[in-house]
Amino acid sequence: MNHPHVSRWPDDPGSHIAFPHRAPRRFPDRGSRRRNAVNRLLCAVAVAGIGAACWGFWLEYDEHRDRAASEKAIAEACGDVVDPAAVMDLGGGIVRAKAGSSDDDRFDLDPPTAPGACEIYRVGKPGTSYGYFALAFTPRPNEEYGNIVGAHEEEPFGDRYDRRRPDDITSAADYVPDQPLGDDGSLGSFDDDTVSVTAICSKPTSKAGLTSLTVDAKAMYEETQTSKADRARLADIAVRAARKAADRLGCAAEVPDAPHTTLDVPSSRLAPAGRADGTCAWYPRLLRTSARGNLPDRALATPAAGQAMSERCLLALSPSAAGRAADASGVEADDGIHGYDPWWLALDSWFGDEAKIVYSDAGITRRSEQRHLAPGTAGGHPEAGVWWASSVCRGVPAVHTLTVADDYDKVTRKRLGALFRAYVEDVATRRGCVDVKVPKPADFAKE
C-alpha cells in the first residue's frame, strides 16, 4: 500500500523499504578514474604523514628527554662547574651521555683542597659506551700531583709503532709539547686534545688557602682527531669551569675569555737544530760558538710566551748522529742507540705555583727515589738523569730542569753544564729572572 508523500529508493524499484521523499543519494563526481585514484593516494599519504609526524614528534621528545637527563648527569658528575650543553656539542654532538659509576669518574669541590676529575661517556647501542670527555680540577698548593721529571719517568719517543717514523724514531715526538694559550700564555696551555686554564688567586682564600687552581678539559673520542673547533669548545668549557670553581672557593681571579684564533696545533716533527726557534732559539746560538760534536742535531720548540706557567725545549739525536756519538765515545753501539732507544734531552721550566712542586724520580728500574727540586736551590740527581737550576722571574719562583735519556748522559756529560747554563740564561733574559742558581761543575761529575 502506498503512503502519501513517500517514494521508493529509485535504484531499487522492487524494494518494499520506503524512505521519506528526497533526491537520490549519490557520491559526487570527482572526475576520471585516474583522478579518483590520485585523490585516494593523496588521502593515504596524508594519513601516513600524520602518523609519521606523530612518530617524529615522539622521537624528538625522546631525544630531548635523553639529552636533558644526560646534561643533568654531566653537571652532577663534574661538580656543577661545566656547561653540560657545551660538553654534548663536542665531536659533532651527541644525544645520550652518562658519567662513570666509580668515585674516580666524578668529583665535587668539597673538600676544596682535593684534586678531582670527572669522566663522561658517550652512550651508543644498548650496553655500549665510549670515552668522550674528561675534566680535571687541581688546586694549589697541593703536593699530591706534582711535576715529575726523570729519564725513566718520561720517554718522548716511546711509541715504536708511530707511522710517522717507521725507520727514524726521533724524526717526530709522540706528542706535541703544551702550547701557550693566548699570546702570553698567562691563561693556560693546550695540545691536540686538551685545554688547561689556570686561575691565579689575587690573595689566598679564607676558605681554603688556595693560591691558584687549574682546570683541564679533555676530548677522549679516540676514533677521530680533535678539531680546532672542538679545541675552541674545550677552551670555553675550561674557562667557564675555572671561573665557577674560583668563585665558589673564594679565589679572586681574573679569567679572561679564551682565544679561538690561536688553537692550531703544530707538527710534532723535530726540526734541524740550526733552525730551532721559540723556546729552543738559544740552541743554534750555542752551536755557533762551539762544535756540535755529540750534542743533539734536532729540536722541537714551543712559542716563547712571556707568562706561561711552564715551557719546554726538546732536543734529540738522529740515528746517524747517535751512532757517530756512540762510536766516538766508546759507548757500546747496540741496536737501541741506532734508532730504537733514542738519545734525547729535555729542558723544562716551571713558574709560580708550578715551580713549587717539581720532583725528580729515578723510576722503578733503579733505586726508586723522588727528590724535591725546591726553588732557590740547584744541583743534580744523576740517578734520575736530572739536573736543576732556579731563579725568581718577575717576582715569582722558577725551577729549570735538564733531563737526559738513559746512557746518553754518559756520552755527553762533559758538555751538559755549558748547555744547561745557556738555556737558563736564555730564560732569564726573556722573562726578567734574577737570583739565578745553576748546578756546580761537580754536580755533573757525579755518577
Side-chain angles (χ1 to χ4, degrees), residues 75-368:
E76 292 176 349
C78 298
D80 200 27
V81 298
V82 301
D83 179 358
V87 170
M88 295 193 69
D89 286 340
L90 291 167
I94 61 172
V95 175
R96 299 172 183 86
K98 69 174 185 177
S101 57
S102 70
D103 291 340
D104 293 336
D105 290 331
R106 54 187 67 232
F107 77 95
D108 55 33
L109 297 179
D110 187 19
T113 57
C118 61
E119 188 162 344
I120 305 301
Y121 300 86
R122 173 174 59 87
V123 177
K125 296 179 180 179
T128 64
S129 60
Y130 310 89
Y132 181 67
F133 169 79
L135 186 90
F137 167 76
T138 308
R140 300 293 189 211
N142 187 293
E143 297 183 0
E144 184 177 352
Y145 291 91
N147 300 306
I148 312 299
V149 293
H152 295 278
E153 179 68 25
E154 178 185 4
E155 172 55 80
F157 306 101
D159 186 357
R160 274 29 178 198
Y161 304 101
D162 194 318
R163 295 180 179 178
R164 294 170 298 177
R165 54 186 193 207
D167 301 315
D168 185 352
I169 197 167
T170 60
S171 62
D174 291 347
Y175 52 84
V176 177
D178 289 346
Q179 305 293 300
L181 187 60
D183 293 335
D184 64 1
S186 60
L187 182 57
S189 63
F190 72 97
D191 59 21
D192 56 340
D193 61 7
T194 303
V195 178
S196 300
V197 169
T198 297
I200 300 176
C201 309
S202 60
K203 59 182 179 180
T205 67
S206 57
K207 181 176 180 179
L210 299 180
T211 53
S212 68
L213 58 90
T214 298
V215 170
D216 301 282
K218 180 179 179 62
M220 300 185 69
Y221 32 92
E222 298 180 355
E223 64 272 14
T224 59
Q225 289 187 336
T226 307
S227 66
K228 180 179 178 180
D230 272 355
R231 282 192 292 274
R233 292 187 181 94
L234 289 171
D236 290 338
I237 290 170
V239 164
R240 174 188 172 94
R243 286 171 177 168
K244 292 192 72 172
D247 182 64
R248 285 167 54 182
L249 297 175
C251 167
E254 293 291 334
V255 183
D257 292 340
H260 292 174
T261 58
T262 56
L263 294 175
D264 292 312
V265 177
S267 170
S268 63
R269 297 191 69 85
L270 277 70
R275 298 207 302 265
D277 57 8
T279 53
C280 293
W282 58 275
Y283 190 54
R285 296 195 294 267
L286 175 67
L287 297 182
R288 287 195 290 269
T289 62
S290 61
R292 184 178 62 79
N294 54 17
L295 293 179
D297 59 340
R298 291 173 170 173
L300 178 60
T302 59
Q307 297 294 322
M309 298 290 283
S310 64
E311 65 173 50
R312 154 162 289 204
C313 171
L314 176 65
L315 305 176
L317 279 75
S318 63
S320 58
R324 290 192 297 271
D327 294 340
S329 63
V331 174
E332 182 179 354
D334 57 20
D335 289 341
I337 291 174
H338 292 292
Y340 294 98
D341 284 330
W343 280 354
W344 54 270
L345 55 85
L347 300 115
D348 295 276
S349 289
W350 287 272
F351 306 89
D353 278 355
E354 297 304 313
K356 302 172 185 177
I357 49 173
V358 182
Y359 300 86
S360 64
D361 197 336
I364 62 175
T365 59
R366 297 180 178 179
R367 179 172 61 87
S368 182

Side-chain angles (χ1 to χ4, degrees), residues 414-436:
K414 294 180 179 179
R415 304 195 65 181
L416 291 180
L419 180 143
F420 191 30
R421 191 176 302 108
Y423 167 71
V424 174
E425 290 175 352
D426 177 70
V427 176
T429 300
R430 287 191 283 110
R431 301 191 59 146
C433 305
V434 297
D435 297 334
V436 178

